[in-house]
Amino acid sequence: MKSVAMILSGCGVYDGSEIHESVLTMLSLSRLGAEVSFFSPDEPQHHVINHLNGEVKHEIRHIMEESARITRGNMRPLSEVDTNELDALIIPGGFGAAKNLCNFAYRGSSCEINKELLSIVREMHQQGKPMGFMCIAPVMIPKMLGKPVKVTIGYDPETAAQIEEMGGIHIECPVDDIVVDSENKIVTTPAYMLAESLSQAEKGIDKLVRKVLEMIE
């Protein structure tokens, strides 16, 4: 059975992992018979957003506790990731990827990546293991790998320009497709950067999951 880690960043599109993307990824992995483990940073999230009106709330929430809402409690800290036990890794989007896994939402192309996550992704890459990133999460790849990897966030020119500024190669891509960097074993899809419905998002996400599993040696 193929072992895949999913890394989440909270619960909810504006301050955590995008819930639809996360669940659609879990569904595809389940259908394809993969063994999935879930991890997130074990620390407070950057801030809390009221998802009804978009306003910042003055309260503190914990990334791992919030992520566990999506996975029905099955959640471990990034410090427990053992890349030797994994075949692949997938990171859904949502603003949590740009606020809690890194600070791209505030720093743009001068962003910094969560140190534990950075170490995990670099180890996976060194071991030649495939990784999938969706929605806004691909912005982290150039900083993580320090090389010109082909990625997509869809069509957004401003975000694409920042990816290029960090040394990445941005490829425009429709919602129902993926961009594959075969050499680096990186698969990306726009998901809710472009999706206007659950069914639209599902097509690209399922393609990503299938490709990531196919690339496992």
Side-chain angles (χ1 to χ4, degrees):
M1 189 181 284
K2 293 172 177 178
S3 174
V4 181
M6 274 182 69
I7 294 181
L8 301 185
S9 58
C11 180
V13 58
Y14 300 123
D15 57 13
S17 286
E18 214 295 325
I19 296 170
H20 296 173
E21 290 176 6
S22 302
V23 175
L24 287 169
T25 303
M26 291 157 66
L27 178 61
S28 287
L29 287 165
S30 175
R31 281 178 174 154
L32 295 164
E35 180 186 20
V36 188
S37 48
F38 302 99
F39 301 91
S40 82
D42 183 9
E43 54 193 55
Q45 62 186 50
H46 177 80
H47 62 191
V48 179
I49 299 286
N50 178 332
H51 279 58
L52 282 173
N53 58 21
E55 291 175 4
V56 176
K57 297 190 75 176
H58 299 290
E59 62 180 83
I60 295 168
R61 293 199 188 187
H62 192 268
I63 302 169
M64 200 161 77
E65 281 180 19
E66 293 299 299
S67 299
R69 290 173 178 270
I70 298 174
T71 62
R72 298 170 64 91
N74 180 8
M75 180 61 58
R76 289 187 283 159
L78 287 177
S79 59
E80 290 185 17
V81 172
D82 181 352
T83 58
N84 296 310
E85 292 179 357
L86 298 174
D87 296 311
L89 178 150
I90 296 177
I91 304 182
F95 276 108
K99 293 176 177 179
N100 299 328
L101 299 184
C102 71
N103 53 15
F104 179 83
Y106 315 102
R107 300 275 304 274
S109 59
S110 61
C111 65
E112 296 165 323
I113 312 293
N114 174 288
K115 287 184 172 60
E116 286 178 317
L117 178 61
L118 184 62
S119 170
I120 291 160
V121 167
R122 286 180 172 171
E123 278 180 29
M124 291 289 286
H125 185 63
Q126 282 162 5
Q127 293 168 11
K129 293 172 177 175
M131 292 180 277
F133 298 76
M134 56 194 68
C135 191
I136 194 66
V139 298
M140 297 188 285
I141 298 169
K143 278 282 165 89
M144 288 169 155
L145 300 185
K147 55 163 72 171
V149 182
K150 292 177 195 161
V151 301
T152 193
I153 47 83
Y155 299 117
D156 183 59
E158 189 182 328
T159 309
Q162 289 179 302
I163 287 171
E164 301 258 340
E165 202 174 307
M166 290 186 280
I169 301 165
H170 185 265
I171 311 290
E172 290 194 347
C173 178
V175 66
D176 60 351
D177 210 353
I178 56 176
V179 166
V180 181
D181 187 313
S182 301
E183 185 185 338
N184 293 296
K185 294 193 175 178
I186 299 290
V187 188
T188 52
T189 191
Y192 274 98
M193 290 294 285
L194 293 177
E196 292 173 1
S197 68
L198 202 58
S199 58
Q200 274 193 356
E202 191 271 340
K203 288 174 185 167
I205 289 170
D206 189 59
K207 275 188 189 175
L208 177 144
V209 170
R210 287 175 184 275
K211 189 64 183 177
V212 166
L213 294 180
E214 183 190 303
M215 292 173 106
I216 293 170
E217 290 178 352

